[in-house]
Amino acid sequence: MSENRLFTDFHERLMKLSHSPDFIQDEREKKLAALTELCASALNVERVSIWELSHGHDKLTCEYLHDAKAHESGAPGYDSKNPLVLLGKEHPRYFDALTNARVIDASDAQTDERTNTFTEGYLKVLGIYSMLDAPIFDGARPSGVICLEAMHSRTWTLPELSLVAALADTVSLINTHEAWMESKRKLDYVTHFDTLTGLANLNTLRERMGYLISKARRQGRDNFLLIWADLDRLKTINDGLGPQTGDAVIAEIGRRLGALRIPGKDVLARIGGDEFSILLTSPPEGEEADRLNQRILTTIRQPIEVQGHSLDVTASLGTCRFPGDGEDVDALLRSAEAAMYHAKSQGSNRACQFDNSIQATARSRFVLERELRLTIHEQKLDVFYQPIFDHSGKQLVGAEALVRWNHPERGMLLPIEFLEVARGAGLMRELGECVLHRVCQDIKWADKQNLEVPTISVNLASEQVLASQLSEDIQAICADYGVSPGRLHFEVTEDAIQGDSQTLRNTLTKLVEAGSALSIDDFGTGYSSLSRLKSLPFSRIKVDRSFIRDIPGDEDDCAITLSIIGLARGLGLAIVAEGVESEEHEHWLQAHQCQFLQGYKYSKPVPFDELMERFLARKDLPAHQ
C-alpha cells in the first residue's frame, strides 16, 4: 500500500473513532484504551502507552498501557494503583527532547542517545527494540507523551509518524476539554454554594423556594417555614480581630447549623456576610416552633475558640411562613428579614415571628432606607481607599474607592450593611453618583497639594451600567471638578453584565472611549460566557477574595484561580487578586504571574487623608524659568 494511501487510511480510522458518539461520551480510561488499541492495531506494534508529565518536567507517570500480548492472552494488564514512573534525572536526554516538543523516533532504542538510558532496566528486560514517542500538550506546554514500543527493529515511516502525532493531539484535546469541564464545574459550584462555609447560597435558596411555591400552587396544600438568622455584632469582631477571625466565626456557625438535626430541614444557606437562612418543609407550630428557635439560638451562642480567643456570639432570628406571610419569594424574604430586624431591635439573642404590625413598628431596613436617602441627597457618604500594588507588592499603582456610611447612631457602616437597602429602594444610581462626586473631590484636593494620585477604581452597580446616559453623567461629574475620566478605572461585577444587551455594550464602550478603563469585579462568583467577555471592552479581571482566602492550601481554590488566570491571559486581560492577606498568598500569586495585588497584607481601606499621608508621593516641582 502506498504511503499516501496509508496516511489516508490511518487518519480515517482515527477520525471515525474520535467522532463516534460512544467515544465522545465514554469516560477517560475507555477513551485512552480505544486510542491505544487503535494505534497498536493500525501500526502492528506490541505496546502503546500514555504518560503524564509533571509540572516541573522532571517525572513521567504511566497513565495507561496497552500491551497486545497481555490483551490477547487475557493476562492482567496495567496496574493503575502501581503506575510506572520515570525520573528526569535518570534519563536527562530523553526528558530534554520531550520538553523541547520533539518527536522521538528511535529505530534502535537501545543505542539511540535519547533512549539508551532505558536499556538495562527496561528495554532489554521487555525485549523492546524500537520506540516512537510524541509529546502531548497543555496549550504550548508539553504535558505528557504517547509511547510506542516494538519488539523488533523497525524504521518509522512518515504515515506512522503522522498518526502518532495526531493521536497525541487527540489526547491533548481530551485533556483540554476535561480541564475546562472541571473548571466550569467548580465555577458553577461557587455560583450556587458559599465558598467559606460550603452551604447553599441565596441563589440556591431562592430557586428552592420558587420550586416549593410553584408546587404548592399546583397541588394547593404545601406550606413551609423560613428562618432568617443574623449574627449580632460581628462587625466588632472584624474591626477588633480582623476579617480572618470573622470568617472563622462564620464558618463555625455554618458548621454548627449544618450539624443541627431539625425535622423537615430542606435548605440551609448563607445568604449574606453574617446571615443564614433555614428552610423547613415540615414547619413546627406553637411551642414546638419556640423550642426550635431556642435550640438555634443556643447552638449559635456556645463559645467559639478562634486563634486563642474565646468569643461569645449571639444571633437574631426572624421567621415567616408560606403562604400566610408572603405569596412569592421576594415577599417572603422581606417578611423574614423584617422579623429579624424586629428581633434585633428588642436586643440580642432573640427570635420573632413575622406579623403585619412589624412593618409599621420595627426599626428595620425601611427606617434605614429613609435615613440613607437623606444621606445620599446631602452627599454625606464617606469614601475609603484600599491601595492596589504591582506584582512585587511594593509599587502603588492604584486604589479602590469603597463607600462607607458614618451613621449618627450606629457608627461607621460597611457596604454590606446598607447596599441591599439602597438597591431595594432604587437608590443605587444616586449612591454611585454620590461616591463619584467624593472621589473627584478627593483627587482635586490631592492635585492642589501637588501629590501624585494613582488611578482610582470606582465600583459601578448593575443599575448604573444599564443606564444609557452613564458615560455622559460620569463625564459631567468629572468636568465639574476638572478631573479627566482617564484617571478613573471602573469596576463592574459579573452579575451586572449578565444581560447581553446593546445598551450595555454601548455604555461600556463609551466609558472606554472617554478614557476610563474597565475591570470585571468578583470574578468567578457570577455567570460570564467567554463570548460576552470577548465582546466587552474590559482590560482587567479581579479574582474574588473567596478564592484567594485558602490558597495555596486548598487545591480547589488553586485550580479555580489558575483557571481564571489562564482565561485572562487567553483574552489578553490583566489580573488583580483581592483579599491578599499573607505572605503565602503573595508568594503563590507572584509565582503564577498575577500582575496586581490588593488586600489587608498591604493596607486596609483608609480615609483619603491617610492614603495621602502614607502612600502618595509629592510631584517634582517645575524648574524656575
Side-chain angles (χ1 to χ4, degrees):
M1 188 180 295
S2 69
E3 284 199 349
N4 287 346
R5 183 58 198 157
L6 277 173
F7 182 94
T8 303
D9 181 62
F10 288 160
H11 284 271
E12 283 180 349
R13 292 174 67 176
L14 176 58
M15 291 186 67
K16 183 177 179 181
L17 171 66
S18 62
H19 288 76
S20 69
D22 289 343
F23 180 87
I24 293 171
Q25 297 300 323
D26 262 342
E27 60 187 28
R28 178 180 180 81
E29 185 173 349
K30 290 183 178 179
K31 288 180 179 178
L32 299 185
L35 289 170
T36 53
E37 185 175 355
L38 180 147
C39 183
S41 172
L43 302 190
N44 191 28
V45 65
E46 289 83 357
R47 289 163 59 92
V48 181
S49 53
I50 293 174
W51 300 68
E52 181 181 3
L53 181 64
S54 66
H55 283 283
H57 291 180
D58 58 355
K59 183 173 70 173
L60 277 168
T61 304
C62 186
E63 183 180 6
Y64 191 85
L65 167 66
H66 174 85
D67 187 323
K69 290 184 178 179
H71 185 72
E72 291 172 1
S73 66
Y78 171 65
D79 183 2
S80 60
K81 294 182 179 179
N82 298 288
L84 298 171
V85 175
L86 301 175
L87 301 178
K89 63 182 180 181
E90 297 175 0
H91 311 285
R93 291 183 177 176
Y94 176 83
F95 273 75
D96 180 63
L98 180 63
T99 55
N100 282 287
R102 297 172 187 155
V103 173
I104 301 172
D105 54 338
S107 297
D108 186 348
Q110 296 186 20
T111 61
D112 191 295
E113 65 176 11
R114 298 166 296 180
T115 58
N116 59 14
T117 52
F118 299 120
T119 299
E120 295 303 324
Y122 184 75
L123 300 179
K124 282 187 176 180
V125 173
L126 295 174
I128 297 168
Y129 284 89
S130 298
M131 292 174 61
L132 174 58
D133 291 9
I136 296 167
F137 289 89
D138 177 5
R141 180 187 70 86
S143 63
V145 62
I146 181 168
C147 176
L148 280 61
E149 298 167 335
M151 303 303 180
H152 58 280
S153 180
R154 63 188 290 175
T155 300
W156 304 102
T157 66
L158 183 60
E160 292 169 341
L161 291 169
S162 175
L163 175 61
V164 173
L167 283 164
D169 285 343
T170 302
V171 177
S172 298
L173 290 173
I174 291 172
N175 292 345
T176 300
H177 176 70
E178 289 179 349
W180 170 247
M181 291 299 293
E182 179 65 10
S183 296
K184 183 177 183 297
R185 183 190 67 78
K186 290 174 179 176
L187 291 173
D188 286 345
Y189 173 85
V190 299
T191 65
H192 289 89
F193 292 88
D194 174 56
T195 55
L196 175 60
T197 62
L199 301 177
N201 62 15
L202 181 58
N203 288 337
T204 301
L205 176 67
R206 294 178 67 94
E207 288 175 5
R208 182 59 177 166
M209 289 173 63
Y211 169 78
L212 292 175
I213 291 170
S214 176
K215 179 181 175 183
R217 287 171 178 166
R218 292 194 307 270
Q219 300 179 356
R221 54 187 176 85
D222 284 358
N223 63 351
F224 58 81
L225 174 71
L226 180 65
I227 302 174
W228 186 305
D230 182 277
L231 304 184
D232 299 318
R233 297 182 295 106
L234 187 69
K235 180 178 180 295
T236 303
I237 295 174
N238 280 329
D239 290 345
L241 301 176
Q244 286 184 320
T245 302
D247 285 348
V249 169
I250 291 169
E252 171 61 16
I253 297 300
R255 187 197 65 77
R256 291 181 182 183
L257 292 176
L260 196 60
R261 296 192 175 186
I262 304 174
K265 182 167 69 174
D266 189 84
V267 174
L268 168 63
R270 181 189 177 203
I271 56 175
D274 58 355
E275 296 171 312
F276 297 86
S277 189
I278 304 173
L279 185 64
L280 302 178
T281 53
S282 300
E285 304 286 346
E287 292 183 358
E288 186 181 353
D290 293 337
R291 285 194 295 270
L292 172 59
N293 289 336
Q294 288 305 312
R295 281 182 61 204
I296 295 172
L297 292 173
T298 301
T299 298
I300 293 173
R301 194 172 62 242
Q302 299 303 312
I304 299 175
E305 301 294 330
V306 181
Q307 299 176 355
H309 301 280
S310 181
L311 305 175
D312 295 319
V313 178
T314 60
S316 301
L317 301 187
T319 66
C320 71
R321 295 173 182 269
F322 173 82
D325 298 328
E327 296 185 351
D328 58 38
V329 173
D330 288 331
L332 288 164
L333 289 172
R334 286 195 299 269
S335 296
E337 185 183 21
M340 179 275 295
Y341 275 118
H342 185 69
K344 193 177 287 287
S345 71
Q346 305 301 308
S348 61
N349 198 45
R350 294 176 182 270
C352 176
Q353 166 66 39
F354 176 82
D355 63 55
N356 291 329
S357 65
I358 284 176
Q359 298 286 30
T361 61
R363 176 171 175 77
S364 65
R365 64 183 297 158
F366 308 108
V367 176
L368 277 181
E369 176 187 322
R370 185 170 61 250
E371 296 171 337
L372 180 58
R373 189 182 299 276
L374 179 61
T375 300
I376 291 174
H377 178 73
E378 295 178 349
Q379 294 193 11
K380 289 185 177 180
L381 288 174
D382 291 306
V383 174
F384 280 32
Y385 296 83
Q386 186 170 38
I388 301 172
F389 291 85
D390 70 355
H391 175 265
S392 70
K394 297 178 181 179
Q395 180 65 44
L396 182 73
V397 295
E400 181 181 3
L402 299 165
V403 65
R404 299 288 188 268
W405 181 12
N406 194 359
H407 191 278
E409 297 175 13
R410 301 174 63 182
M412 191 66 75
L413 301 182
L414 298 175
I416 196 170
E417 298 175 88
F418 61 89
L419 283 188
E420 284 305 313
V421 176
R423 179 164 282 113
L427 295 171
M428 291 303 294
R429 287 182 62 184
E430 291 86 348
L431 186 149
E433 291 177 0
C434 181
V435 169
L436 187 56
H437 275 284
R438 183 61 181 270
V439 168
C440 289
Q441 181 181 1
D442 288 339
I443 292 174
K444 182 177 180 179
W445 173 249
D447 286 345
K448 288 183 177 180
Q449 305 304 307
N450 208 40
L451 295 173
E452 291 276 4
V453 181
T455 302
I456 301 297
S457 297
V458 180
N459 294 284
L460 294 177
S462 56
E463 291 87 346
Q464 292 177 274
V465 298
L466 294 176
S468 60
Q469 293 298 312
L470 175 65
S471 179
E472 290 79 1
D473 292 343
I474 288 174
Q475 291 182 61
I477 293 172
C478 288
D480 287 343
Y481 296 90
V483 173
S484 168
R487 302 178 71 177
L488 302 175
H489 193 122
F490 291 101
E491 298 185 5
V492 182
T493 64
E494 265 192 302
D495 289 339
I497 61 170
Q498 284 187 41
D500 199 16
S501 70
Q502 191 61 44
T503 298
L504 174 66
R505 295 168 186 267
N506 290 342
T507 299
L508 297 181
T509 299
K510 286 179 182 179
L511 282 176
V512 174
E513 289 174 348
S516 301
L518 294 175
S519 294
I520 304 176
D521 195 16
D522 299 338
F523 188 81
T525 62
Y527 301 85
S528 289
S529 72
L530 290 177
S531 60
R532 193 156 61 243
L533 293 184
K534 288 172 62 178
S535 64
L536 296 174
F538 292 102
S539 58
R540 287 184 186 176
I541 286 178
K542 294 193 75 174
V543 184
D544 186 70
R545 68 183 67 250
S546 61
F547 301 126
I548 305 300
R549 180 189 298 114
D550 294 324
I551 62 172
D554 188 296
E555 291 183 359
D556 286 346
D557 284 347
C558 288
I560 292 173
T561 304
L562 283 174
S563 175
I564 295 172
I565 290 174
L567 173 63
R569 286 178 184 160
L571 295 174
L573 304 177
I575 281 284
V576 183
E578 55 183 2
V580 181
E581 296 183 2
S582 66
E583 288 188 2
E584 290 79 10
H585 291 165
E586 182 185 71
H587 292 163
W588 190 91
L589 291 163
Q590 288 172 339
H592 292 89
Q593 288 77 51
C594 181
Q595 293 100 324
F596 302 106
L597 307 171
Q598 177 183 359
Y600 273 65
K601 182 184 186 303
Y602 312 107
S603 174
K604 65 180 181 180
V606 296
F608 193 71
D609 288 344
E610 186 174 341
L611 182 79
M612 290 193 298
E613 180 179 348
R614 292 176 55 191
F615 298 104
L616 303 190
R618 192 165 297 279
K619 299 177 185 178
D620 292 331
L621 294 174
H624 292 291
Q625 300 295 323

